[in-house]
Amino acid sequence: MCRNIQPLLNFDPPAPAEETGDASLHFVRTLSGFNKPSEANAAAFNRAIEEVTTAARNLLDSLLTSAEPRDREVETERARARAANRFGTEKNEGERVS
């Protein structure tokens, strides 16, 4: 579905409302096919974002896990390392990092 939507569950500190809203916006944009809706569709588009945000927050608040909370900085570094390995870096002039 949406490759850019990241998991928001089980982080310390928990995902802020802004991240949930951003994920909801991305989801609604993908689902509707609109990056920015027309004036005629703006109310429905914005209502959908609010409803998806509420549903996402309710889901995250109600899920239980026994796993240790993940650290945002560690996960960000892991993602950067995966991207560097996959796409190479400018320092290595396009060579893959092993």
Side-chain angles (χ1 to χ4, degrees):
M1 191 187 80
C2 301
R3 287 190 239 173
N4 294 331
I5 295 178
Q6 301 298 317
L8 300 177
L9 179 65
N10 199 27
F11 278 102
D12 188 28
E18 181 180 312
E19 282 188 49
T20 308
D22 290 347
S24 299
L25 172 62
H26 188 88
F27 177 76
V28 172
R29 282 178 173 169
T30 300
L31 193 65
S32 69
F34 296 134
N35 190 35
K36 182 175 182 202
S38 65
E39 285 185 33
N41 293 321
F45 189 84
N46 292 331
R47 185 174 54 252
I49 294 169
E50 290 174 17
E51 290 173 358
V52 170
T53 301
T54 300
R57 180 52 38 200
N58 289 340
L59 173 66
L60 292 172
D61 290 344
S62 64
L63 292 174
L64 302 175
T65 181
S66 60
E68 289 291 319
R70 295 178 288 173
D71 184 296
R72 290 185 181 285
E73 292 180 21
V74 170
E75 294 300 321
T76 300
E77 280 304 312
R78 286 181 183 162
R80 283 188 185 133
R82 284 192 305 271
N85 189 37
R86 183 174 180 194
F87 301 113
T89 62
E90 290 183 24
K91 291 179 186 176
N92 297 332
E93 299 177 350
E95 293 178 21
R96 292 189 180 261
V97 177
S98 50

